[in-house]
Amino acid sequence: IWTIEGVSETGEIKDLQEAFVERNALQCGFCTPGMLLTLAEMMDRFPDASRDEIREYISGNYCRCTGYQAVVDAVEIAKEKSRAKGASA
Ligand code: FES
């Protein structure tokens, strides 16, 4: 079982975490660990997910603060960073 602490320590979700901060995709932070773990899995399984597919994927995670728009924006930024790293590797 991977926890938010475990994947944070390995650095594997660093781009996603940075994008959350950049887009202000967390406010109180209550939903953030679940959002990050869900989205990390989605980015592994469906790296080309559309904005609608991202919304569908996180539909089981409730956020009282962000309205989800910033969360989807953050995923788009993390996907771009991931693609850029893949292109340069
Ligand atoms: Fe507060 Fe999502 S940031 S519930």
Side-chain angles (χ1 to χ4, degrees), residues 36-64:
L36 289 170
L37 289 172
T38 301
L39 290 165
E41 178 193 45
M42 186 209 72
M43 289 177 66
D44 277 348
R45 296 181 67 199
F46 307 105
D48 297 322
S50 68
R51 292 182 70 86
D52 285 344
E53 290 167 333
I54 294 166
R55 284 185 173 272
E56 176 67 26
Y57 213 86
I58 61 172
S59 64
N61 297 64
Y62 295 100
C63 178
R64 301 171 300 173

Side-chain angles (χ1 to χ4, degrees), residues 25-32 35 62-68 71:
L26 65 147
Q27 291 176 27
C28 77
F30 183 81
C31 70
T32 307
M35 286 285 188
Y62 295 100
C63 178
R64 301 171 300 173
C65 306
T66 66
Y68 303 96
V71 172

Side-chain angles (χ1 to χ4, degrees), residues 5-23:
E5 290 83 4
V7 294
S8 294
E9 286 176 12
T10 65
E12 66 187 273
I13 62 166
K14 182 174 180 280
D15 288 346
L16 196 53
Q17 289 174 305
E18 288 176 352
F20 262 58
V21 171
E22 186 177 327
R23 289 297 301 139

